[in-house]
Amino acid sequence: MNYGQRGRELLLDLKRSDWLPSYNEDVVSATLQEINSHTEELTVLVRAANRVNNDTQGEGSSGGPAIENRPSLILHDASIRRNKRCLLAYHAHRIDKLRVLRWETSGALPPAMKFVLSEAEVDFFNEYDKLASRHALGGPMSSMDWNADQNPPEENFIQVRVVQNGLGRIETEMCGTVELEVGSMHYLPRGDVEHLIRSGALVQLSGEESF
C-alpha cells in the first residue's frame, strides 16, 4: 500500500493551481480515513506488545515491543504524522489565501472564487471579513483606509475599463461625477476606483493601451 499518497495529492493540487483548486472533499476524507486506519493498526500492535510485556514481566523482558513489531509501529506512526502534516498544510494554505483575498476585494467574495471553496471556507471568509471590518472601523486608527493598496502607487491617475454592469455613477475627488457604463474607459484618480479594481468591476489598462 502506498501510504501518504492521498495527502500528497492534496498538496500537488495546490501546486498546480493558479490561485486555489476546488476543495477536494473526497481526498480529504480519504486521508482522514487512512489516518484512522493507521491509528487502529497502531493501537492493536501497542496493546499486543503490552500484553506480552505483562505476561513476561520478571522473566528478563526488555519492556518494549518485540523487535519484529517495531518496523510496523514506526511505519504506522510515520504515516499518521505525514498525513496530518499534509492536511494541515493544505488547509493552512487555503486559509492564508482567503485572508489575502479579503483585503484585496474589500470583503467582496468573487463568484468565480466562491465556486472553488468549501462551505466551511465561505463561512470563514465571511466571519474574517466581519472581524476585519470591526477592527477597521474602531479604535484610534479608524480613519485609515485599511482596504487601500499596501504598495505605494506609482501614479495618481490610472486608465481603467468598466467590465461590470450596474455600477452607475461615482463621485470622484478631482473629476466630479463619472458614469461607469460597461465597456467605457476612463482616466481617474487611483484612490477613487481602487476598490472597484480589486472587486473585478474595473480593469486597469496597461500603458500600451489607449483610448
Side-chain angles (χ1 to χ4, degrees), residues 108-128:
L109 183 57
M113 295 179 173
K114 182 178 180 179
F115 180 75
V116 304
L117 304 178
S118 68
E119 184 177 344
E121 288 173 331
V122 174
D123 289 342
F124 170 83
F125 182 90
N126 292 332
E127 291 301 318
Y128 182 70

Side-chain angles (χ1 to χ4, degrees), residues 38-105:
H38 284 298
T39 302
E40 292 172 359
E41 292 289 341
L42 189 61
T43 301
V44 169
L45 289 171
V46 171
R47 287 177 177 174
N50 289 336
R51 285 197 299 270
V52 171
N53 289 336
N54 291 334
D55 294 341
T56 58
Q57 191 172 9
E59 299 178 8
S61 172
S62 63
I67 191 67
E68 64 269 17
N69 291 331
R70 291 179 186 178
S72 295
L73 291 169
I74 293 173
L75 173 63
H76 289 302
D77 181 68
S79 297
I80 291 170
R81 292 174 183 272
R82 175 183 171 83
N83 278 326
K84 284 184 176 180
R85 287 197 300 269
C86 289
L87 285 173
L88 289 172
Y90 180 75
H91 289 93
H93 179 82
R94 296 179 68 91
I95 290 301
D96 287 343
K97 288 287 188 179
L98 292 179
R99 289 195 182 102
V100 173
L101 180 65
R102 188 274 163 202
W103 295 105
E104 290 179 343
T105 63

Side-chain angles (χ1 to χ4, degrees), residues 9 12 34 52 61-62 67 118 125-126 143 148 151 154 159 164 169 173 185:
E9 287 179 20
L12 289 177
E34 186 176 315
V52 171
S61 172
S62 63
I67 191 67
S118 68
F125 182 90
N126 292 332
S143 59
N151 298 316
E154 297 179 356
Q159 295 178 357
Q164 180 176 310
R169 298 178 180 179
E173 184 177 355
M185 292 181 284

